[in-house]
Each structure stands twice: as C-alpha cells, then as structure tokens.
C-alpha cells in the first residue's frame, strides 16, 4: 500500500511525539527528528515520511498530500490528540477510502478510548510499531498483526502484544530516509550545532523515573542496543549523505548506561573523527566520560530534574545531588559541555524545593538549561500519583499554541505559581552577568550563531509575555 508516515501539524511549530519525549511547542522553536517514524518509512516500499511542523506544512496542505496515499500512519501525542483527530476526520472527508492508524504513547495506553474518540481512526498500534505498520502495508490482515487494536463486529479487539524488538541491527538506517524525505536544515535545537542529524543507538531505559513517558508507555525499561559496528556504519553513512552536518546527536533514552558498551562504542567512533553529543545520566563515571570526550563527544543532555533529595526519591530518579556535583566536576575537567534539564511541579514540590533547585542549578553551572513544567502523562506512575491524590485539574497540558501549561496543582502551590517559577528560574539563571558574557562570547565571532541567538531571544520574550499575562489573569 502506498503509505504516508505522518508527524502531524498538531499546532504550528509543535515539536511532536514522533521525536520528542516531552511534546510541546518550545520556548524557542526547536524540532527533534521523527526517528520512530523513519524506521517503518525505510521498511515500507512506496512510503513517505512527512514531518509537518518543521517543514511548515499546514493541516490543509497535509489533507491535500494525503489524497495520494492508501494508508496513513499518524504519530499522535496527549496534548495534540484532539487536533490530530480533527485532522484525521478532515482527511477521511475528502478521501473516505484511506486507512488511518494512530501511533504513539497516548494511544498505546488509551487504545480503546482513542478508537472510541473517532471512527476516522481505523486502528491503533500499541507501543513499537516498526513491523506492525510494514505488515499492514504489505497486505496482512489486522487479525494477524500483533500489537494492534481495532473494531470488529461492533466491538473493539485488542490483539496480543507484540514483543519488543531486540534485533535493532535488522532495521534500516534512518539517515537514508532523512535524505529522501526531510530537509535537515529545518531541524534546530538551540544547544546543538546546526545543522545536525539524530538517531538512536539503543532503545528502552532501565531507569524507573516516575514521570518519564517513553519507557513506561512505549519503549519499555529493557535496554536493547545496536551493535557498535552497526552504529559506526550509520555514522559513516550520515557523513556521506550530509557532508554539511556539524554534529550527530545520539538521541537514546539514555546513551551512557552500560560502561562496557560505552567504552566499546567509543572505540569504534574515535577513528571516525567527528563531533557528536548524546543523552547521559549522572552515574556515568570519569572513565566513561573520558572515553566519550576522546571519541569526539562535545555535549551531554542530562536530566537533573530537581535539587531536592526528597523529590529525587519521590520520582525514583536513582541519582543524588552529590552524584550530580561529582559528575559536573568530571565534565568540566574533561571539557564536556552539559545541557541540564530541570522540572518544576514534581511530586513533593513546594516553594522551598523550587528555591533549592534553582540554587542547585546555579552551583552545577551547566552551559545551558531547560526548565519544564511537570506533566503527568497517561500511563505513567506520576499520572497515577496525581490522580490518586486529587492533584490533577481539568486544564489542558498545552495552550492554544501548543506551549506547555500545568494541569495539576499542589497544596500551597498553584498553577500560576508553577508558571511563575519556571519564568523566574530562567531569568535567575541566564541573567547573571557571567552567563550573559558566556553567551555573548560564543556568538561574537560566529555570525550564524549570532543570528540564531537574536531569533531565539525574540521567541523567548514573546512566550515570557504570554506567561506573564496568564499569571496576572
């Protein structure tokens, strides 16, 4: 079947579920690669991967494109689901014969509810969908495909779960799909070099963080790795296809989990002599970090989340404040930049824990930071906690433009105060004189970086103004 793999235009400039663990429109326009959709796009003949948001494709244009296809696979998200359903219904209105499948964590957890939401959704694929989509596109009946949910004779049928894929080396290289279907200059992440490409070297995450979306609802906690030779081969292929790329990002749930594997992989990457960055946890020791640096690693994305020990225990982070400080000490000594992620609104959050996290972030002194609003996504332990304690509100996770908004409150901490804390956190961190100087020094000798910085500043202050209006209302 002629197949369209779609990361939908749920909102304008929306960094959607196919590439983002935290789907939202960012403070600064950012787009991760739709890696999950690229795998079936490489498996299915006559397919196209359409990543609508970064390419500026509107809902109306998406409807027109879909006219040429027999099968549409749409990766949805919790904040974007309602808009994605409306899009699917509009596509069916003009192309009634097209078959539409919804994918992603939201429908994996709420398969029955999702099918009941609209008759435009013909079926749902739960969890990983690489081979389920390829089987359907090749003509296999839904009754014979593992991991799908669909309607039959007036009722909803849930086929047996599909085992998680373990032979990751059997999958195609996503960079070949990027070359065929995507414009890599459209992908921008403020702390990565531009242009960059991203792909996975593993799937799954053994960590048990209660808020984390993909391991609990989609990819699982079992850590499954690609062979080191296979990863190195895709790196070589990426550099062949995209000689202009300045950086490769390994977008695993957690790249630096097993020490032996990290050291082995670094041994394969080092001779290739290229710049790369990756995700990491603070348990990575100096030997691992040193090997990564020597193999070309430039920057690590690290989820510190909170500077409060009780909150770290509440969310089962499996890391301590002390470990974080030791980790940052090693990174600075080795010359590894760190982008630190922090979250406001996790279980146990108070004004005092927020203050403690801000001070913690300043002591860590990461190159850049991101401060997110805590979202209890369906299917996560955090969602169960928030519901059982009555902390969830009736509010949406996103505003009308797709920006993050809180949908929970705690005793002594309102939605307004959570939003205000996020904005104050950014101001307190970035408007320190030496941080301003660091940013200016980075941009002063690089015209492209200077232009990007100016654009990002405009976008941030526009969102800041919107959030201030929310607080005052």
């Amino acid at each position: 079947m002629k197949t369209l793999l779609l990361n939908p235009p749920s909102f304008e400039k929306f960094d959607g579920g196919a590439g983002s663990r935290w789907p939202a429109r960012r403070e600064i326009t950012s787009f991760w690669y739709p890696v999950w959709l690229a795998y079936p796009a490489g498996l299915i003949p006559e397919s196209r991967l359409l990543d609508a948001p970064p390419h500026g494709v509107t809902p109306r244009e998406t409807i027109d494109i879909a006219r040429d296809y027999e099968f549409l696979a749409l990766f949805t998200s919790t904040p974007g689901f309602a808009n994605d359903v409306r899009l699917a219904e509009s596509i069916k209105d003009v192309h009634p014969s097209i078959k539409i499948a919804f994918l992603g964590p939201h429908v994996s957890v709420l398969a029955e509810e999702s099918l009941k939401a609209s008759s435009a959704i013909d079926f749902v694929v739960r969890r990983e969908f690489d081979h389920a989509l390829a089987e359907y596109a090749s003509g296999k009946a839904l009754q014979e495909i593992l991991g799908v949910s669909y309607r039959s004779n007036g009722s909803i049928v849930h086929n047996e779960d599909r085992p998680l894929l373990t032979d990751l080396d059997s999958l195609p290289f996503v960079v070949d799909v990027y070359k065929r279907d995507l414009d890599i200059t459209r992908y921008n992440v403020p702390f990565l070099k531009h242009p960059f490409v991203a792909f996975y070297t593993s799937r799954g995450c053994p960590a048990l963080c209660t808020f984390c979306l993909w391991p609990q609802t989609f990819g699982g906690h079992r850590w499954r790795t690609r062979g080191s030779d296979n990863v190195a081969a895709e790196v070589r292929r990426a550099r062949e296809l995209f000689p202009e790329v300045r950086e490769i990002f390994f977008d695993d749930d957690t790249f630096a989990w097993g020490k032996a594997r990290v050291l082995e992989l670094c041994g394969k990457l080092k001779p290739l002599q290229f710049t790369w960055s990756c995700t990491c946890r603070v348990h990575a020791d100096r030997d691992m970090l040193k090997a990564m640096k020597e193999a070309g690693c430039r920057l690590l994305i690290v989820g510190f989340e909170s500077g409060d020990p009780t909150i770290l225990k509440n969310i089962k982070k499996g890391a301590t404040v002390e470990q974080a400080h030791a980790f940052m000490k090693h990174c600075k000594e080795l010359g590894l930049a760190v982008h630190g992620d922090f979250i406001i609104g996790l279980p146990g959050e108070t004004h005092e824990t927020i203050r403690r996290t801000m001070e913690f972030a300043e002591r860590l002194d990461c190159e850049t930071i991101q401060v997110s609003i805590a979202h209890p996504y369906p299917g996560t332990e955090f969602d169960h906690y928030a519901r059982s304690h009555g902390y969830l509100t009736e509010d949406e996770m996103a505003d009308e433009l797709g920006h993050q908004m809180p949908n929970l409150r705690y005793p002594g901490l309102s939605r307004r105060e959570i939003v205000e804390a996020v904005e104050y956190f950014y101001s307190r961190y970035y408007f320190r004189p030496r941080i301003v100087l660091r940013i200016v020094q980075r941009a002063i000798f690089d015209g492209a970086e200077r232009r990007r910085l100016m654009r990002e500043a405009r976008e941030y202050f526009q969102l800041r103004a919107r959030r201030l209006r929310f607080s005052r209302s």
Side-chain angles (χ1 to χ4, degrees):
M1 301 173 73
K2 195 174 180 185
T3 302
L4 183 64
L5 290 304
L6 176 64
N7 195 31
S10 310
F11 302 90
E12 185 182 4
K13 299 182 180 179
F14 187 67
D15 192 17
S20 174
R21 295 165 179 81
W22 211 282
R25 181 172 175 173
R26 308 294 168 200
E27 294 93 345
I28 296 167
T29 300
S30 304
F31 297 111
W32 292 103
Y33 280 83
V35 188
W36 284 108
L37 287 174
Y39 287 110
L43 290 169
I44 301 171
E46 291 190 287
S47 69
R48 176 186 175 185
L49 170 53
L50 174 58
D51 192 5
H55 293 83
V57 179
T58 66
R60 172 50 55 191
E61 290 168 334
T62 303
I63 294 167
D64 291 339
I65 291 168
R67 292 174 185 267
D68 295 330
Y69 292 86
E70 303 166 271
F71 174 37
L72 168 66
L74 184 154
F75 198 121
T76 190
S77 64
T78 298
F81 181 73
N83 286 343
D84 296 342
V85 166
R86 284 191 283 272
L87 176 64
E89 290 171 343
S90 297
I91 290 171
K92 283 276 192 177
D93 286 343
V94 301
H95 190 1
S97 64
I98 194 171
K99 298 298 181 183
I100 298 180
F102 268 40
L103 326 163
H106 184 85
V107 296
S108 294
V109 172
L110 303 173
E112 188 149 343
E113 295 86 342
S114 299
L115 286 165
K116 289 178 178 178
S118 176
S119 60
I121 305 173
D122 292 295
F123 66 98
V124 159
V125 185
R126 306 187 308 274
R127 293 189 175 261
E128 293 180 354
F129 47 73
D130 315 86
H131 291 293
L133 294 181
E135 289 167 5
Y136 184 76
S138 69
K140 197 169 187 178
L142 285 174
Q143 296 88 333
E144 301 172 11
I145 301 176
L146 295 176
V148 301
S149 299
Y150 56 97
R151 301 179 199 83
S152 179
N153 299 320
S155 61
I156 292 177
V157 177
H158 304 284
N159 286 1
E160 182 181 341
D161 289 342
R162 179 180 291 269
L164 291 172
L165 182 64
T166 56
D167 183 10
L168 302 185
D169 289 359
S170 67
L171 292 170
F173 288 169
V174 295
V175 294
D176 288 312
V177 176
Y178 298 169
K179 183 66 175 180
R180 186 190 73 188
D181 292 339
L182 306 180
D183 175 359
I184 67 164
T185 65
R186 300 283 188 143
Y187 294 87
N188 174 68
V189 173
F191 47 85
L192 296 181
K193 292 181 178 294
H194 184 269
F196 77 101
V197 295
F199 56 85
Y200 307 148
T201 79
S202 68
R203 290 185 180 182
C205 180
L208 301 176
C209 306
T210 63
F211 62 89
C212 198
L213 179 63
W214 285 2
Q216 296 183 79
T217 65
F218 196 57
H221 289 292
R222 182 182 176 188
W223 194 48
R224 297 156 287 140
T225 62
R226 294 171 59 181
S228 297
D229 287 328
N230 184 258
V231 174
E234 186 159 16
V235 168
R236 286 192 293 271
R237 181 65 173 156
R239 298 178 73 194
E240 174 188 329
L241 293 173
F242 306 109
E244 70 275 26
V245 158
R246 299 178 65 197
E247 181 164 49
I248 291 176
F249 184 73
F250 297 128
D251 197 12
D252 304 25
D253 285 331
T254 179
F255 175 88
W257 182 265
K259 182 172 181 176
R261 197 262 179 166
V262 169
L263 297 181
E264 177 193 341
L265 183 52
C266 286
K268 301 290 184 180
L269 299 179
K270 185 176 179 179
L272 303 181
Q273 298 185 335
F274 72 104
T275 300
W276 55 277
S277 296
C278 68
T279 56
C280 195
R281 284 174 58 88
V282 299
H283 77 267
D285 64 21
R286 185 182 175 86
D287 289 342
M288 294 169 69
L289 296 171
K290 184 173 184 289
M292 292 162 66
K293 175 65 176 179
E294 291 175 349
C297 185
R298 181 188 68 86
L299 175 142
L300 307 173
I301 297 182
V302 182
F304 297 104
E305 324 309 357
S306 174
D308 184 81
T310 299
I311 288 182
L312 293 177
K313 290 177 182 177
N314 290 346
I315 64 175
K316 301 180 182 179
K317 183 64 185 177
T320 65
V321 168
E322 293 74 22
Q323 283 178 304
H325 284 298
F327 171 86
M328 282 300 299
K329 180 175 181 290
H330 294 323
C331 288
K332 289 181 179 182
E333 289 171 350
L334 293 166
L336 285 165
V338 174
H339 172 80
D341 287 340
F342 301 89
I343 304 173
I344 299 296
L346 292 169
E349 195 80 276
T350 65
H351 292 286
E352 176 59 23
T353 63
I354 292 171
R355 181 191 63 78
R356 193 170 293 135
T357 298
M358 292 180 186
E359 293 174 352
F360 172 62
E362 290 170 354
R363 289 194 300 273
L364 291 175
D365 194 33
C366 301
E367 182 79 9
T368 53
I369 65 167
Q370 180 170 332
V371 186
S372 297
I373 294 170
H375 278 166
Y377 289 101
T380 63
E381 191 174 337
F382 182 24
D383 180 68
H384 175 74
Y385 166 86
R387 290 180 187 278
S388 64
H389 286 79
Y391 295 150
L392 279 185
T393 69
E394 296 298 318
D395 302 285
E396 298 294 335
M397 286 184 175
D399 64 16
E400 70 278 8
L401 298 181
H403 294 118
Q404 282 190 321
M405 293 297 289
N407 67 330
L408 82 169
R409 59 172 174 258
Y410 296 112
L413 192 66
S414 68
R415 294 177 66 238
R416 175 181 61 80
E417 290 169 319
I418 290 173
V419 172
E420 288 175 345
V422 169
E423 292 309 305
Y424 179 59
F425 199 144
Y426 275 126
S427 298
R428 175 170 168 167
Y429 192 87
Y430 277 116
F431 293 159
R432 294 176 292 161
R434 65 188 182 87
I435 303 303
V436 172
L437 179 62
R438 187 163 72 193
I439 293 169
V440 170
Q441 285 176 333
R442 193 173 68 230
I444 199 166
F445 298 113
D446 187 332
E449 184 68 22
R450 191 162 56 249
R451 288 188 293 273
R452 185 161 78 157
L453 180 63
M454 294 297 294
R455 184 183 69 249
E456 291 168 354
R458 285 194 300 272
E459 291 180 348
Y460 169 70
F461 283 112
Q462 286 169 358
L463 176 59
R464 181 183 174 89
R466 287 180 58 83
R467 285 180 168 170
L468 286 173
R469 287 195 295 272
F470 167 80
S471 296
R472 291 166 182 160
S473 66

